Amino acid sequence: MKITKISLYDLELPLHQPYLLSRGRTFTKFDSTFVKIETDEGITGWGEVCPWGSTYLPAFAGGVRAALAEIAPQLLGHDPREVEKMNRLMDRVLSGHVYAKAGIDYALWDISGKAAGQPIHALLGGAETKEVPMISSIHVDSPENMAADVERWRNLGYRRHSIKVGESVDGDIARIRHLTEFRQSDEIFDYDANGGWNPWEAIQVMNAVRDTDAWFEQPCLTYEECLTVRQQTSQALSLDECITGVREVVRAISDRSCDVVNVKLARVGGITRARWIRDICLEFGIPMMLMDMAGTVTNDSVVAHFASTLPENRCIGTWSCQDMVSVDSAPGQGARNVNGRLTVPEGPGLGHEPDEDILGTPFLVVK
């Protein structure tokens, strides 16, 4: 089997309502890029890359498209089923920019699954579950409004919530105390600063609420800052934005700097590289949250396949973007939110095909 054609599409994803993160970051839409890889045997694979704007991570839509335009011509004529070899080829063609390479990696796994007549999760070792618990995302607001938002997601079946903090020390202490009292016994509340605190702010907030059962995610921007916070606080800690690959995971385990790892598949380069992280975390008993950056049901389906391969006691849950955006790339197909759980597709490969009428005309075709 050989790659004969690669097409790239861009798709704007307006949000149903503005989304607020720490440090005053506001988002009203996302900008997604779709990858379609065609082969000489008539099998087609799909991938999607959708950074969370340009201020969340060192990734942005323009960078995705420039990187893919550089890489795509060099993949023609190669066997897409050789995913490890193809990832090494992409690294030789372009250093870094692993977030852009994730879209191609997803499409390679889609083709591999279709060629084998198996869903992606079967190629990854087998699914432990047919549905993955979902995590809501509660953006920064007043404590009362955030509690109301939790209640809204709770009524949709969610029992795990990512509570955004990182606005101000006093304000965040008030949010955490109010929402901790609001938490029900079977719920998980993760207070996520998305790197919005400096170490002094994080230490103040976390020590002020150490009498609660609150746990925290990515308090500061860098690994070194998070490690400083870890050494001066007592709560459980998850690392997210500073986990960019397997080396960072190995370092975190060695330093005992976290209790949970949040793996964003696109941020670490796709399924192929995320698989290494999964296996290391399982070996060392580190629970994981698994998600992509942003996007549509196409990205959610990738995550559903991957997350389903974790034992239940090692998967805290996944976050889905499809309910936040007003565009559906594959209506009625793929992984879907059913009562706060993400269904795992069972068809070959990804288990769905994006609607090309929705995607429109590709902005680049190489063949």
Side-chain angles (χ1 to χ4, degrees):
M1 184 186 295
K2 303 297 181 184
I3 295 173
T4 57
K5 184 178 179 181
I6 300 176
S7 303
L8 305 178
Y9 302 78
D10 59 313
L11 184 66
E12 186 173 282
L13 306 176
L15 304 187
H16 290 299
Q17 62 184 30
Y19 190 90
L20 283 66
L21 279 184
S22 58
R23 293 190 281 122
R25 293 170 288 179
T26 302
F27 305 89
T28 59
K29 64 181 179 181
F30 298 133
D31 191 354
S32 194
T33 303
F34 285 78
V35 180
K36 178 184 181 184
I37 298 180
E38 299 177 60
T39 69
D40 59 355
E41 295 188 15
I43 298 177
T44 297
W46 286 94
E48 179 185 9
V49 185
C50 187
W52 190 285
S54 57
T55 60
Y56 173 58
L57 293 170
F60 72 109
V64 172
R65 289 164 195 159
L68 290 176
E70 186 75 14
I71 295 169
Q74 306 304 317
L75 305 184
L76 299 175
H78 291 273
D79 189 335
R81 297 167 297 181
E82 297 175 335
V83 292
E84 297 271 2
K85 180 179 176 181
M86 293 295 287
N87 271 266
R88 291 191 291 271
L89 173 59
M90 287 194 285
D91 288 343
R92 290 197 300 273
V93 172
L94 182 67
S95 296
H97 304 278
V98 295
Y99 68 96
K101 297 170 184 175
I104 291 175
D105 183 72
Y106 297 160
L108 299 177
W109 281 91
D110 189 22
I111 290 171
S112 297
K114 290 171 178 173
Q118 296 288 328
I120 288 174
H121 62 71
L123 304 187
L124 291 171
E128 297 272 2
T129 181
K130 294 184 178 180
E131 54 184 24
V132 180
M134 296 179 69
I135 305 169
S136 76
S137 186
I138 311 300
H139 70 79
V140 177
D141 205 332
S142 69
E144 295 75 18
N145 286 345
M146 293 176 77
D149 205 12
V150 169
E151 182 65 21
R152 179 172 68 87
W153 289 105
R154 183 183 282 165
N155 290 336
L156 294 173
Y158 285 69
R159 310 306 297 169
R160 304 165 193 220
H161 308 276
S162 176
I163 312 293
K164 302 304 177 182
V165 290
E167 185 198 44
S168 67
V169 169
D170 290 341
D172 289 332
I173 292 170
R175 290 182 182 89
I176 293 164
R177 288 205 171 277
H178 183 84
L179 287 161
T180 299
E181 291 296 320
F182 188 68
R183 186 180 71 83
Q184 296 180 357
S185 60
D186 65 337
E187 288 181 312
I188 294 174
F189 278 19
D190 161 27
Y191 294 97
D192 185 4
N194 293 110
W197 287 322
N198 62 43
W200 175 231
E201 291 169 327
I203 292 166
Q204 286 185 83
V205 172
M206 292 172 66
N207 283 336
V209 298
R210 61 178 174 266
D211 58 313
T212 72
D213 59 0
W215 62 283
F216 294 85
E217 182 174 349
Q218 195 70 33
C220 305
L221 192 59
T222 70
Y223 176 84
E224 290 74 17
E225 290 172 326
C226 290
L227 183 58
T228 295
V229 172
R230 172 73 161 183
Q231 293 166 341
Q232 299 185 55
T233 56
S234 58
Q235 293 97 330
L237 192 66
S238 170
L239 293 180
D240 178 2
E241 286 83 357
C242 64
I243 299 296
T244 57
V246 69
R247 292 175 184 270
E248 289 75 22
V249 172
V250 171
R251 182 183 179 189
I253 292 171
S254 178
D255 292 341
R256 299 181 179 178
S257 61
C258 67
D259 306 284
V260 177
V261 168
N262 188 336
V263 182
K264 288 188 169 67
L265 270 66
R267 186 181 62 217
V268 303
I271 293 171
T272 302
R273 287 176 166 90
R275 183 177 51 173
W276 307 337
I277 295 173
R278 177 198 65 179
D279 293 347
I280 290 171
C281 287
L282 288 176
E283 181 66 22
F284 283 88
I286 305 293
M288 285 164 273
M289 292 183 277
L290 292 158
M291 53 196 74
D292 212 280
M293 293 188 290
T296 69
V297 65
T298 298
N299 272 345
D300 287 345
S301 295
V302 172
V303 173
H305 281 288
F306 194 92
S308 73
T309 67
L310 292 182
E312 184 178 359
N313 66 344
R314 291 291 178 263
C315 181
I316 291 177
T318 184
W319 171 82
S320 164
C321 189
Q322 63 181 264
D323 293 330
M324 293 176 61
V325 300
S326 58
V327 177
D328 191 340
S329 65
Q333 303 180 62
R336 296 291 170 176
N337 173 10
V338 178
N339 297 323
R341 301 183 74 84
L342 190 65
T343 60
V344 180
E346 285 299 328
L350 271 177
H352 83 276
E353 301 287 324
D355 188 330
E356 293 184 65
D357 289 335
I358 293 173
L359 299 184
T361 303
F363 66 84
L364 179 67
V365 176
V366 296
K367 59 183 178 179

